[in-house]
Amino acid sequence: MAYGDQTEFKAGTKETIAKRANFRCIVPDCVTPTQGPGASPDQTASTGTACHIFSAAKNDPRGQGGLTPEELRSASNGVWACATHGRLIDTNEGAAFPASLLLSWKELQEERLRSERGGHQSTKGWIHRITVQKSVLFKPESGFHLGKATLLTGPALGKSAVLEWVAATLGDDLPSRWIQNGQKNIITVEVFFPTPLTLKILIESGGPKYFCNDLPGPEARNGIQIVHVREDVIRTLQKSMRDENRLEDHDLLAKALRIRSAEVRNLIPEIESNGTSWGKYLDFYDEPKLLFEDKEGEEHYSSTQTEVILRHGGIRGITFSGLSGSERMKVLLEFATALARARARHQPTLLLLDNQLSSFDDGNLKAMSEHLQLQPFQTIATRTDRLGDPDDPIWQEWACYEVRASSDAAEIIHRHQTPSHN
């Protein structure tokens, strides 16, 4: 028997996949029916198809996830799609629909069906599309669909703005400059919670106005958690390293993440359990406070005062201030992902990384990219450089877009063949 025959779905498995999806297409905003009347009154017709999450074929871009042939042909490795999306999922061997995206969609779909059937409130959610309807920075109706992880690249033009607007739409603080400049910006965020909602923010000189499914409200709907690492955090870290009266390490990270210092220290067990292999060697220590360094370079410490020091590699490891710039950025992202992971256990969570990935070489970038793909939250990251080769394995699982300047306003260009949803 050929290997492909061993991994194909059997008829009963296809039926199970279809029924678990209630014959609905896996793409969240697709409403095309896959089951209906047949040629005669006593017949039904199906136009849906069962698609593999991890590929049946060995060398397809989605890979096989280390699954056995039996696991590859099981219902747990399948999703149900309409005829149109079924073809798209398998176009170019499925490169536009990475396994992480299909798994997230399947989890959302099944939770949505449980919620509809049982009438209970769900904590699952998915941010599906972001649209800048009106702005002087972008062409009207510029937007993009999100994957499990989404990348925006390009020059310093509008990427930080998009992250700030999205965060504000979902309940984060809006920087005052967007209110003071007197320009009108309208942003919509389409989410599934797990039922579909369209959240909108209207930003103008009088302050932001919020809408949910076109109904105005006094504040943003607070259903999705945000962890937003702003671009200016990089400058803050660099400045702090040169400041004689700099904040203690846990206070500095707390300021960067906009949480309390005690919460930063409480993230250490989370990092030890679920962080990267590098991050698991981070820990805080209460140590005698450095008072001064004399002319001979000898350090003098207080016998009564202590300070909180973050070290990598144990009590005798390298201090946070002794790490390189890219290593300090790794520390920051280790804590940011730990915070997002902890919040995602209770509510849908979005991690926003504004240009922090630009600090990494290819090796560290690959490790962080893979780490983010394994998380229970979605990520949007920006980089100021160009993406380069869109087929680079580093970005294979990401939805990749480029912000390009034009004569009148910027536009958002798909760098990968991303999913078509309508």
Side-chain angles (χ1 to χ4, degrees), residues 225-239:
Q225 289 286 320
I226 294 290
V227 177
H228 187 183
V229 186
R230 300 175 186 269
E231 185 176 24
D232 58 10
V233 166
I234 299 173
R235 293 189 293 273
T236 300
L237 288 177
Q238 293 171 338
K239 181 177 182 297

Side-chain angles (χ1 to χ4, degrees), residues 21-88:
N22 198 24
F23 294 93
R24 296 183 188 177
C25 180
I26 188 63
V27 178
D29 59 354
C30 180
V31 295
T32 302
T34 67
Q35 191 85 349
S40 63
D42 58 349
Q43 290 181 324
T44 61
S46 174
T47 56
T49 183
C51 302
H52 287 79
I53 297 174
F54 290 100
S55 301
K58 287 184 175 181
N59 298 318
D60 283 354
R62 278 204 295 273
Q64 295 190 320
L67 303 185
T68 64
E70 182 179 0
E71 291 169 329
L72 288 169
R73 65 173 181 261
S74 70
S76 62
N77 189 45
V79 295
W80 189 253
C82 69
T84 299
H85 286 119
R87 286 192 297 271
L88 290 171

